[in-house]
Amino acid sequence: MNRYLLYLLLVNMLTNIVVYVPKILIDYKYDGAVSAILIAIPIGLFLCIVFCKSISAFPEQGLPEILDQLLNRKIKNIILFIFSGFWYFAGFLTLIGFTDIINRFINPEMSKVSLAVLFAIATCFIIQLPTEKVMYIVEIILVLNVPFVFFIVFKALTNEYFSWNSVFEVGTHLFSWPSFKALSAATYTFSGYMNVLIMNRLFRQKIKGINFIVIGFLSIFNMFTTFFIPIGFHGADGAQEYLYPWTTTADCLRIPYGPIERVIFLFLMLYIGITVVSAAIHWHVAFEFLKGASSKKFTKKKALLILIIFSCATIISEMKITAVQTMFLSTYWLILRFIFEICVVTFVFFLARRKKNET
Amino acid sequence: MLRSNIKTTQEDLLEKIQQTEDVVFKELFTKVESIKVFYIKTLSDEAQIQNYIIKPFYEIESPTLFLDYLKSHPKVKPFENEEKTLNQLLVGEVIVFFQAKIFLFDLKMDRQSSVLDTTVETTIQGPQSGFSESIGTNLGLVRQRYPQASLNMESSSIGKVSKTKVITLYDNKTVNQEVLKKVREFLETIDIEMFQSGEQLLDLIKKSQRALFPLMLITERADRVAINLAAGKVVLLVNGSPFAVILPTVMKDFMSSMADIYQTYWVGCFFITLRYIGLFISIVLPSIYVALTAYNPEVFRVQLALSIAGSRSTVPYPAFIEVFFMLIMMELLTEASIRLPKAIGPTATTVGGLILGQAATEAGLVSNIMIIIVSAVAISNFVVPVNNFGAAIRVVKYLLLVLSIFYGLVGVVIGFLLLVSYLVSLESFGKPFLTISEKKPAQN
């Protein structure tokens, strides 16, 4: 089993819960979210399999190295710049969304900007490390946090106030025509595999079939928790009242005999690590793309410059953007990303074909 | 070599060295021949000079036989050049001028060869003696515990002035060649005048690689050295220091004590877990206190929040000042108890710890809970078995504390995350610092 691939997907699935996806899905709960989820699983899995199979034609190579062999310099640089923009934006949205959550639920008196500074610094420290070390950090954070996340989900599912009737009610809207927005939000669950474009540098062996089976099961479980647990707690109609349905859901839970009584603090403390790591993966990929695109030797000064641009852009937009605007932005970004993802998979597929034909 | 050449060498040497009262230059005569000995009597063993040089010189009758004796004696090295000869003279070898030849007779006096008891890394059971301050004895101790033909050693000298002898020890069969190469490079790049102990290497790491955490293990235990040699590590022995340096070292080495393997398996596991809990407590507890009292009292149950607030009701300033005040007092106490003579040490800690703590709460300067926290931090910090690593942990908690002052709970969590990432980014001679499991070294 290739554990790094699994980590990439798992991190994406976990961040999926906390930021925008549940809100979008719940908004469309009567208008095609359920069917979109059901369609999203085969689509996402298919894209993931095609992508992983194609990229295994280039063992231990990231996208910059692959393009070096097959395309000329200028086209390569343009592609890398566009790609890095996409990845930067992914990490950006996660950070912006999460600082808003922290601001609302943990530190309401603190300015969002100063929180953004802290998050940006933490993320920037991680992204400039070598790819291998980024994955080590991801591994450590997941090992420390995931058991607790599962504990919370377990707590939620066994809670006496969890209303299965609401879940079934939403389930009856299974046959409405799937909405495209919901579909693109739901496929985000799988998006973690896109980071393989850089992390492929660490993949020595071919990715085996068992990985995809595990991913399939995880994604079903993840979609269910993302979508149905808030509905089960707040009711089919109540769930859409909240901007961050899952965080509010965590606040419904309590551990009466634990030292920390309100689960929301446990939940958010776990998610600080997970979101930072998730944003760090995205930004690391963006950073490595820019590194690959820089023509001359990549100096420390250049790296520092990129880090400063990354963090300053986040901090400045944190001052300007409101939560509703980010919600709007991320909805359309998710759609754009879905289309972009299909293009990238096709692109990599043809690159792999071309390589096979050449040899 | 011609006699005239010898004459000049001899004069040069005499000229270069200051004529103090412990420098001996003596010519001995028989009827046929004469011999000159040149040595520093405070460094060389005069009884041995009597046995090995003077007696044979008068007892062996023919000069050719005596020349053969000198040539074939295992302690004798031939002359190479003046520079080297002078250096050898300064570490205690005897220079013998005989006929047209010069010989270096290794008759150093070993003053510090007694084996010391372990004082830093004590264990309840297991071997109780550590190293001595003589490199020869230490090498012998290691050899005794590690009787392998593949044990290899390289000798080098570090320090422009001190010219300290350093021996690199490793097992040829198990050592990682890349690590070995890095260690050699590291030793070559060291630029220092006085080198007296392996601990100095911690400070000498290049500027770009400076780290908060120690990246090599300093130990005084021969059993630890032997066990690490078998695991394929490189060991440095430094002349004049009872501490050996083990490279590369990862975090789990710092968290393990030799006592772990002198216990049953599960008890050993329990102790290791206990140490990690201690480590976590001593890093996080002060900052958690600040975060929970000043930012998020709602995290805990209401009763606990109230009792903390109640205990803090007499304290006139914010939580972080209270924490800083007590932590600094605690650090001062620790520092003072190291410096104080052994006889006064316990008194100082009692006065400082018990009376000061009690009085501070009664005066309303700090809360009761704060005293509990500070003592918990201090105690759990000493659970870390290796002193250098414990010292690094002492520093780390302040960084977390600063973050918690500005960001509360979020700061603590992010600080911990940053700490983990920093530890991940460290490498000890090519080995990631957080390596948890190591494969058994392949036999090359």
Side-chain angles (χ1 to χ4, degrees):
Chain A
M1 228 166 37
N2 187 324
R3 62 182 210 277
Y4 288 156
L5 177 70
L6 231 51
Y7 292 156
L8 290 175
L9 275 132
L10 195 59
V11 166
N12 222 56
M13 287 176 187
L14 289 170
T15 16
N16 204 3
I17 292 183
V18 78
V19 197
Y20 303 107
V21 177
K23 171 75 180 157
I24 297 170
L25 287 179
I26 286 169
D27 277 349
Y28 288 91
K29 63 183 177 299
Y30 297 139
D31 312 305
V34 187
S35 47
I37 287 177
L38 287 183
I39 297 174
I41 292 171
I43 292 180
L45 212 52
F46 172 73
L47 287 177
C48 177
I49 292 172
V50 171
F51 180 84
C52 292
K53 289 282 168 202
S54 317
I55 203 139
S56 58
F58 308 96
E60 289 187 61
Q61 282 175 320
L63 186 68
E65 293 97 273
I66 296 173
L67 293 184
D68 257 344
Q69 304 164 11
L70 298 172
L71 293 176
N72 82 12
R73 252 212 107 73
K74 268 191 182 158
I75 303 177
K76 175 198 143 191
N77 283 356
I78 293 169
I79 290 177
L80 287 179
F81 267 113
I82 297 172
F83 274 34
S84 82
F86 260 94
W87 262 269
Y88 173 73
F89 212 66
F92 168 84
L93 283 175
T94 319
L95 280 189
I96 294 267
F98 197 70
T99 32
D100 192 45
I101 291 178
I102 292 290
N103 184 247
R104 274 161 209 265
F105 292 92
I106 294 193
N107 281 349
E109 287 130 40
M110 185 176 289
S111 84
K112 267 176 29 177
V113 180
S114 64
L115 275 173
V117 172
L118 182 68
F119 275 92
I121 289 174
T123 319
C124 282
F125 179 76
I126 299 175
I127 65 174
Q128 43 88 29
L129 297 173
T131 308
E132 201 183 11
K133 306 228 147 157
V134 174
M135 286 317 288
Y136 289 163
I137 296 173
V138 172
E139 182 167 21
I140 290 170
I141 296 299
L142 284 181
V143 167
L144 291 178
N145 289 358
V146 166
F148 292 101
V149 173
F150 277 107
F151 171 71
I152 292 175
V153 172
F154 171 77
K155 265 292 201 197
L157 286 174
T158 52
N159 195 295
E160 55 178 318
Y161 296 109
F162 187 86
S163 149
W164 286 96
N165 284 335
S166 311
V167 174
F168 292 138
E169 191 199 333
V170 173
T172 53
H173 292 266
L174 175 63
F175 296 107
S176 49
W177 188 248
S179 122
F180 189 62
K181 269 187 199 168
L183 179 67
S184 54
T187 47
Y188 186 59
T189 309
F190 290 93
S191 270
Y193 69 83
M194 295 292 278
N195 300 317
V196 175
L197 279 178
I198 285 297
M199 309 302 177
N200 196 40
R201 287 172 181 167
L202 309 175
F203 293 0
R204 298 212 179 88
Q205 294 145 341
K206 283 207 165 173
I207 297 159
K208 285 181 199 143
I210 185 159
N211 286 300
F212 301 115
I213 297 171
V214 175
I215 289 167
F217 278 112
L218 274 177
S219 68
I220 295 170
F221 179 68
N222 177 255
M223 299 257 194
F224 183 84
T225 49
T226 318
F227 182 55
F228 285 116
I229 290 182
I231 288 177
F233 270 93
H234 303 295
D237 289 317
Q240 73 188 44
E241 302 294 322
Y242 301 106
L243 188 55
Y244 301 108
W246 237 103
T247 319
T248 334
T249 305
D251 207 7
C252 299
L253 299 167
R254 56 193 281 270
I255 313 172
Y257 300 109
I260 299 177
E261 196 183 4
R262 294 171 64 191
V263 172
I264 185 175
F265 287 106
L266 187 63
F267 178 77
L268 287 179
M269 268 153 64
L270 297 176
Y271 263 86
I272 290 171
I274 294 173
T275 24
V276 168
V277 155
S278 155
I281 292 176
H282 288 139
W283 279 14
H284 177 74
V285 173
F287 182 74
E288 289 293 321
F289 281 156
L290 288 179
K291 217 181 196 179
S294 99
S295 48
K296 284 166 218 142
K297 224 182 135 240
F298 193 77
T299 52
K300 267 199 167 164
K301 267 184 195 161
K302 270 188 196 168
L304 200 64
L305 186 72
I306 295 177
L307 294 184
I308 289 172
I309 294 173
F310 274 18
S311 42
C312 282
T314 313
I315 293 161
I316 290 168
S317 31
E318 185 72 79
M319 291 181 205
K320 303 283 176 198
I321 305 182
T322 63
V324 181
Q325 281 168 333
T326 21
M327 194 70 227
F328 175 81
L329 255 181
S330 52
T331 315
Y332 287 96
W333 178 78
L334 281 171
I335 294 174
L336 195 62
R337 175 211 56 91
F338 183 43
I339 299 165
F340 174 73
E341 214 171 285
I342 295 172
C343 299
V344 173
V345 172
T346 337
F347 178 60
V348 172
F349 179 70
F350 280 110
L351 283 180
R353 281 279 296 272
R354 195 166 150 182
K355 188 181 177 204
K356 265 179 206 156
N357 289 344
E358 270 177 13
T359 49
Chain B
M1 204 187 290
L2 293 170
R3 259 174 207 266
S4 59
N5 271 2
I6 289 201
K7 204 104 197 172
T8 52
T9 322
Q10 184 186 317
E11 273 160 14
D12 279 351
L13 285 175
L14 273 171
E15 218 169 82
K16 272 182 194 159
I17 196 160
Q18 300 289 322
Q19 297 298 322
T20 49
E21 56 182 297
D22 59 348
V23 175
V24 179
F25 182 75
K26 195 89 190 153
E27 196 164 6
L28 314 169
F29 297 97
T30 58
K31 271 178 236 157
V32 253
E33 261 306 344
S34 77
I35 182 177
K36 288 186 195 125
V37 284
F38 187 19
Y39 62 93
I40 299 175
K41 69 177 173 194
T42 39
L43 291 176
S44 308
D45 194 340
E46 287 196 297
Q48 285 193 32
I49 295 176
Q50 175 72 24
N51 273 337
Y52 286 122
I53 303 175
I54 300 174
K55 267 192 194 165
F57 177 62
Y58 286 106
E59 280 167 6
I60 300 175
E61 275 167 17
S62 97
T64 42
L65 273 179
F66 183 67
L67 189 66
D68 287 344
Y69 164 80
L70 279 180
K71 274 182 183 166
S72 52
H73 197 281
K75 283 193 172 220
V76 171
K77 278 179 286 181
F79 172 82
E80 280 174 44
N81 57 38
E82 251 183 66
E83 176 84 34
K84 230 178 185 173
T85 314
L86 186 66
N87 286 340
Q88 295 303 332
L89 178 71
L90 286 173
V91 293
E93 294 193 6
V94 180
I95 301 172
V96 180
F97 301 91
F98 182 65
Q99 293 181 343
K101 291 218 159 51
I102 304 177
F103 297 96
L104 301 172
F105 220 120
D106 184 1
L107 298 175
K108 280 176 219 147
M109 187 132 61
D110 204 351
R111 288 172 195 277
Q112 296 142 326
S113 60
S114 60
V115 173
L116 308 168
D117 278 345
T118 53
T119 47
V120 186
E121 295 163 77
T122 46
T123 55
I124 296 174
Q125 274 156 350
Q128 296 294 319
S129 56
F131 280 126
S132 73
E133 297 203 337
S134 137
I135 197 165
T137 317
N138 292 352
L139 210 54
L141 285 172
V142 175
R143 275 245 190 236
Q144 236 172 41
R145 284 180 192 273
Y146 199 74
Q148 284 289 323
S150 52
L151 185 68
N152 200 346
M153 55 185 82
E154 289 162 18
S155 169
S156 52
S157 79
I158 297 181
K160 272 184 247 149
V161 177
S162 66
K163 298 214 168 59
T164 313
K165 188 170 179 189
V166 174
I167 289 184
T168 315
L169 269 177
Y170 54 88
D171 187 331
N172 241 349
K173 266 194 287 183
T174 51
V175 74
N176 181 338
Q177 293 298 331
E178 263 168 56
V179 170
L180 191 61
K181 211 176 109 198
K182 278 192 177 148
V183 172
R184 280 187 199 133
E185 273 166 22
F186 171 62
L187 289 180
E188 271 164 27
T189 55
I190 289 174
D191 177 35
I192 189 180
E193 297 205 325
M194 295 300 296
F195 184 74
Q196 314 210 43
S197 176
E199 291 93 315
Q200 274 176 285
L201 291 176
L202 290 172
D203 184 45
L204 286 176
I205 285 186
K206 261 186 289 167
K207 239 186 196 169
S208 56
Q209 295 170 339
R210 253 180 213 166
L212 174 61
F213 292 91
L215 297 174
M216 22 193 144
L217 182 64
I218 315 283
T219 184
E220 58 169 352
R221 299 184 65 96
D223 51 347
R224 199 167 201 155
V225 166
I227 225 172
N228 278 295
L229 277 177
K233 304 213 169 179
V234 180
V235 175
L236 303 181
L237 292 175
V238 180
N239 194 15
S241 160
F243 291 96
V245 182
I246 298 174
L247 312 161
T249 314
V250 299
M251 189 168 134
K252 81 175 168 48
D253 299 329
F254 288 116
M255 293 303 282
S256 64
S257 150
M258 279 316 284
D260 295 343
I261 53 170
Y262 304 131
Q263 301 282 354
T264 59
Y265 177 75
W266 292 112
V267 175
C269 286
F270 170 71
F271 283 156
I272 291 177
T273 324
L274 207 62
R275 262 175 238 144
Y276 277 97
I277 294 173
L279 181 77
F280 185 74
I281 287 179
S282 81
I283 292 175
V284 164
L285 204 58
S287 42
I288 288 261
Y289 177 78
V290 172
L292 291 184
T293 50
Y295 280 85
N296 307 97
E298 69 272 23
V299 172
F300 281 142
R301 336 196 48 156
V302 178
Q303 293 91 320
L304 188 54
L306 283 178
S307 75
I308 292 177
S311 120
R312 268 185 50 75
S313 61
T314 53
V315 182
Y317 32 70
F320 77 91
I321 294 182
E322 192 188 355
V323 173
F324 260 123
F325 174 66
M326 281 317 286
L327 282 182
I328 295 288
M329 285 310 281
M330 192 254 305
E331 299 290 356
L332 290 177
L333 212 63
T334 326
E335 273 306 292
S337 59
I338 296 170
R339 306 274 168 268
L340 279 174
K342 272 198 183 116
I344 325 175
T347 332
T349 39
T350 319
V351 171
L354 289 176
I355 302 175
L356 210 115
Q358 185 69 27
T361 35
E362 270 172 18
L365 289 177
V366 289
S367 65
N368 279 320
I369 291 178
M370 189 61 239
I371 301 284
I372 299 174
I373 284 175
V374 166
S375 25
V377 167
I379 293 165
S380 48
N381 202 147
F382 295 126
V383 169
V384 175
V386 178
N387 188 34
N388 301 96
F389 190 63
I393 295 301
R394 260 163 78 180
V395 178
V396 165
K397 66 171 178 277
Y398 290 99
L399 304 179
L400 250 71
L401 186 59
V402 169
L403 274 177
S404 83
I405 289 169
F406 291 107
Y407 287 101
L409 205 55
V410 185
V412 181
V413 179
I414 295 244
F416 195 71
L417 179 75
L418 279 174
L419 174 66
V420 170
S421 342
Y422 179 64
L423 288 176
V424 168
S425 75
L426 288 181
E427 262 181 16
S428 169
F429 294 85
K431 201 160 217 186
F433 191 63
L434 283 185
T435 310
I436 297 173
S437 65
E438 285 168 282
K439 279 183 208 152
K440 280 208 167 160
Q443 308 258 315
N444 354 322

mmCIF file of all heavy atoms in Angstrom, chain A residues 304-318:
data_model
loop_
_atom_site.group_PDB
_atom_site.id
_atom_site.type_symbol
_atom_site.label_atom_id
_atom_site.label_comp_id
_atom_site.label_asym_id
_atom_site.label_seq_id
_atom_site.Cartn_x
_atom_site.Cartn_y
_atom_site.Cartn_z
ATOM 1 N N LEU A 304 12.351 33.009 -0.331
ATOM 2 C CA LEU A 304 11.812 33.922 0.673
ATOM 3 C C LEU A 304 10.785 34.860 0.051
ATOM 4 O O LEU A 304 9.722 35.133 0.617
ATOM 5 C CB LEU A 304 12.961 34.723 1.284
ATOM 6 C CG LEU A 304 12.660 35.339 2.633
ATOM 7 C CD1 LEU A 304 12.404 34.246 3.649
ATOM 8 C CD2 LEU A 304 13.802 36.222 3.082
ATOM 9 N N LEU A 305 11.104 35.319 -1.158
ATOM 10 C CA LEU A 305 10.195 36.230 -1.860
ATOM 11 C C LEU A 305 8.848 35.556 -2.091
ATOM 12 O O LEU A 305 7.789 36.140 -1.837
ATOM 13 C CB LEU A 305 10.834 36.644 -3.188
ATOM 14 C CG LEU A 305 10.060 37.701 -3.948
ATOM 15 C CD1 LEU A 305 10.192 39.037 -3.245
ATOM 16 C CD2 LEU A 305 10.545 37.803 -5.386
ATOM 17 N N ILE A 306 8.896 34.308 -2.562
ATOM 18 C CA ILE A 306 7.642 33.588 -2.814
ATOM 19 C C ILE A 306 6.854 33.435 -1.522
ATOM 20 O O ILE A 306 5.643 33.680 -1.471
ATOM 21 C CB ILE A 306 7.938 32.201 -3.421
ATOM 22 C CG1 ILE A 306 8.568 32.367 -4.795
ATOM 23 C CG2 ILE A 306 6.663 31.388 -3.537
ATOM 24 C CD1 ILE A 306 8.962 31.068 -5.423
ATOM 25 N N LEU A 307 7.562 33.077 -0.449
ATOM 26 C CA LEU A 307 6.870 32.895 0.831
ATOM 27 C C LEU A 307 6.205 34.190 1.270
ATOM 28 O O LEU A 307 5.064 34.194 1.736
ATOM 29 C CB LEU A 307 7.849 32.441 1.908
ATOM 30 C CG LEU A 307 8.472 31.058 1.725
ATOM 31 C CD1 LEU A 307 9.349 30.707 2.902
ATOM 32 C CD2 LEU A 307 7.397 30.006 1.557
ATOM 33 N N ILE A 308 6.942 35.291 1.087
ATOM 34 C CA ILE A 308 6.378 36.578 1.497
ATOM 35 C C ILE A 308 5.147 36.908 0.665
ATOM 36 O O ILE A 308 4.112 37.336 1.199
ATOM 37 C CB ILE A 308 7.441 37.687 1.377
ATOM 38 C CG1 ILE A 308 8.484 37.496 2.475
ATOM 39 C CG2 ILE A 308 6.812 39.067 1.509
ATOM 40 C CD1 ILE A 308 9.672 38.398 2.342
ATOM 41 N N ILE A 309 5.222 36.669 -0.650
ATOM 42 C CA ILE A 309 4.062 36.948 -1.504
ATOM 43 C C ILE A 309 2.885 36.082 -1.089
ATOM 44 O O ILE A 309 1.761 36.562 -0.924
ATOM 45 C CB ILE A 309 4.414 36.715 -2.988
ATOM 46 C CG1 ILE A 309 5.442 37.734 -3.439
ATOM 47 C CG2 ILE A 309 3.171 36.795 -3.858
ATOM 48 C CD1 ILE A 309 5.981 37.485 -4.817
ATOM 49 N N PHE A 310 3.155 34.814 -0.881
ATOM 50 C CA PHE A 310 2.088 33.889 -0.473
ATOM 51 C C PHE A 310 1.386 34.402 0.773
ATOM 52 O O PHE A 310 0.169 34.518 0.822
ATOM 53 C CB PHE A 310 2.686 32.499 -0.164
ATOM 54 C CG PHE A 310 2.819 31.611 -1.373
ATOM 55 C CD1 PHE A 310 2.791 32.130 -2.642
ATOM 56 C CD2 PHE A 310 2.989 30.246 -1.218
ATOM 57 C CE1 PHE A 310 2.931 31.314 -3.747
ATOM 58 C CE2 PHE A 310 3.125 29.420 -2.313
ATOM 59 C CZ PHE A 310 3.104 29.949 -3.581
ATOM 60 N N SER A 311 2.190 34.704 1.807
ATOM 61 C CA SER A 311 1.545 35.033 3.075
ATOM 62 C C SER A 311 0.925 36.417 3.030
ATOM 63 O O SER A 311 -0.161 36.624 3.567
ATOM 64 C CB SER A 311 2.537 34.903 4.231
ATOM 65 O OG SER A 311 3.766 35.444 3.866
ATOM 66 N N CYS A 312 1.591 37.377 2.354
ATOM 67 C CA CYS A 312 1.033 38.727 2.311
ATOM 68 C C CYS A 312 -0.299 38.740 1.572
ATOM 69 O O CYS A 312 -1.245 39.399 2.012
ATOM 70 C CB CYS A 312 1.997 39.686 1.634
ATOM 71 S SG CYS A 312 3.309 40.158 2.740
ATOM 72 N N ALA A 313 -0.384 37.999 0.474
ATOM 73 C CA ALA A 313 -1.643 37.970 -0.272
ATOM 74 C C ALA A 313 -2.760 37.474 0.622
ATOM 75 O O ALA A 313 -3.873 38.020 0.632
ATOM 76 C CB ALA A 313 -1.501 37.072 -1.494
ATOM 77 N N THR A 314 -2.451 36.432 1.412
ATOM 78 C CA THR A 314 -3.477 35.891 2.308
ATOM 79 C C THR A 314 -3.879 36.924 3.361
ATOM 80 O O THR A 314 -5.061 37.139 3.616
ATOM 81 C CB THR A 314 -2.947 34.636 3.019
ATOM 82 O OG1 THR A 314 -2.337 33.805 2.057
ATOM 83 C CG2 THR A 314 -4.046 33.898 3.714
ATOM 84 N N ILE A 315 -2.869 37.544 3.952
ATOM 85 C CA ILE A 315 -3.165 38.484 5.051
ATOM 86 C C ILE A 315 -3.957 39.683 4.539
ATOM 87 O O ILE A 315 -4.947 40.103 5.144
ATOM 88 C CB ILE A 315 -1.849 38.938 5.714
ATOM 89 C CG1 ILE A 315 -1.199 37.744 6.416
ATOM 90 C CG2 ILE A 315 -2.099 40.037 6.717
ATOM 91 C CD1 ILE A 315 0.256 37.921 6.719
ATOM 92 N N ILE A 316 -3.545 40.200 3.371
ATOM 93 C CA ILE A 316 -4.240 41.377 2.835
ATOM 94 C C ILE A 316 -5.673 41.032 2.472
ATOM 95 O O ILE A 316 -6.610 41.767 2.803
ATOM 96 C CB ILE A 316 -3.478 41.944 1.623
ATOM 97 C CG1 ILE A 316 -2.176 42.565 2.118
ATOM 98 C CG2 ILE A 316 -4.318 42.987 0.894
ATOM 99 C CD1 ILE A 316 -1.211 42.887 1.023
ATOM 100 N N SER A 317 -5.866 39.875 1.831
ATOM 101 C CA SER A 317 -7.246 39.571 1.457
ATOM 102 C C SER A 317 -8.081 39.257 2.685
ATOM 103 O O SER A 317 -9.301 39.460 2.684
ATOM 104 C CB SER A 317 -7.319 38.436 0.447
ATOM 105 O OG SER A 317 -6.272 37.552 0.635
ATOM 106 N N GLU A 318 -7.418 38.801 3.756
ATOM 107 C CA GLU A 318 -8.164 38.591 5.000
ATOM 108 C C GLU A 318 -8.761 39.903 5.497
ATOM 109 O O GLU A 318 -9.846 39.943 6.078
ATOM 110 C CB GLU A 318 -7.217 37.996 6.048
ATOM 111 C CG GLU A 318 -7.854 37.610 7.357
ATOM 112 C CD GLU A 318 -8.720 36.376 7.248
ATOM 113 O OE1 GLU A 318 -8.189 35.256 7.237
ATOM 114 O OE2 GLU A 318 -9.943 36.540 7.188
#
